[in-house]
Amino acid sequence: MAYHSPYRAHPQGNPPVDQSFLWNIFQRVDKDRSGVISDSELQQALSNGTWTPFNPVTVRSIIAMFDKENKGGVNFNEFAGVWKYITDWQNIFRNFDRDNSGFIDRNELKQAMTGFGYRLSDQFYGTLIEKFDRQRKGQVAFDDFIQCCIVLQRLTDVFRRYDTDQDGWIQVSYEQYLSMVFNVV
Ligand SMILES: [Ca+2]
Ligand SMILES: [Ca+2]
């Protein structure tokens, strides 16, 4: 069993983005000109490549990752991180969407996760698709793919803390189990 962050797996990322270019985007996304981009402002600005709104849970997760002061949004400095995070994911998604369908199917998901260092059974890829396929297409869109990776990463990180010998097995008490779950939900 191997654990790798999909994010860390692509440290090269994109070249630094021009500040004035980023400022233009920030101003367009910050619809109410509050100086902070909220969940709903970010959600409106993002596209998952289909006509459905971007997964609100994914938006919340991304904002929370970069919102240092717990203000319910990101300022311009933090937005630079959000922008890089999303464009990195876009590149990863395009890379693994081999047939350019705009969706990640089971086989593409397996290739992506294997590339990130996860070792999961074929059956479990079916479980992942079922869990994260919000559009009920048997495959996952861009936003749900990010969500799938975030959740898998969080759960793996928690598991790993208990799996001190890294053999992929842990023995936990009821309360340890509850603490593990509380770390994720
Ligand atoms: Ca705003
Ligand atoms: Ca595809």
Side-chain angles (χ1 to χ4, degrees), residues 96-105 108 139:
F96 285 107
D97 179 19
R98 310 265 167 182
D99 62 353
N100 282 320
S101 66
F103 287 90
I104 295 283
D105 64 26
E108 291 167 341
Q139 41 192 349

Side-chain angles (χ1 to χ4, degrees), residues 2 14 19 83 145-146 153:
N14 295 315
Q19 289 289 300
W83 179 259
F145 174 70
I146 298 179
Q153 179 66 43

Side-chain angles (χ1 to χ4, degrees), residues 37-39 42 58-67 72-74:
I37 291 174
S38 65
D39 290 10
L42 184 63
T58 316
V59 173
R60 182 87 283 273
S61 304
I62 295 172
I63 293 277
M65 261 177 239
F66 292 93
D67 174 15
V74 287

Side-chain angles (χ1 to χ4, degrees), residues 30-38 41:
D30 182 20
K31 289 253 193 281
D32 66 356
R33 301 270 158 153
S34 64
V36 172
I37 291 174
S38 65
E41 286 171 338

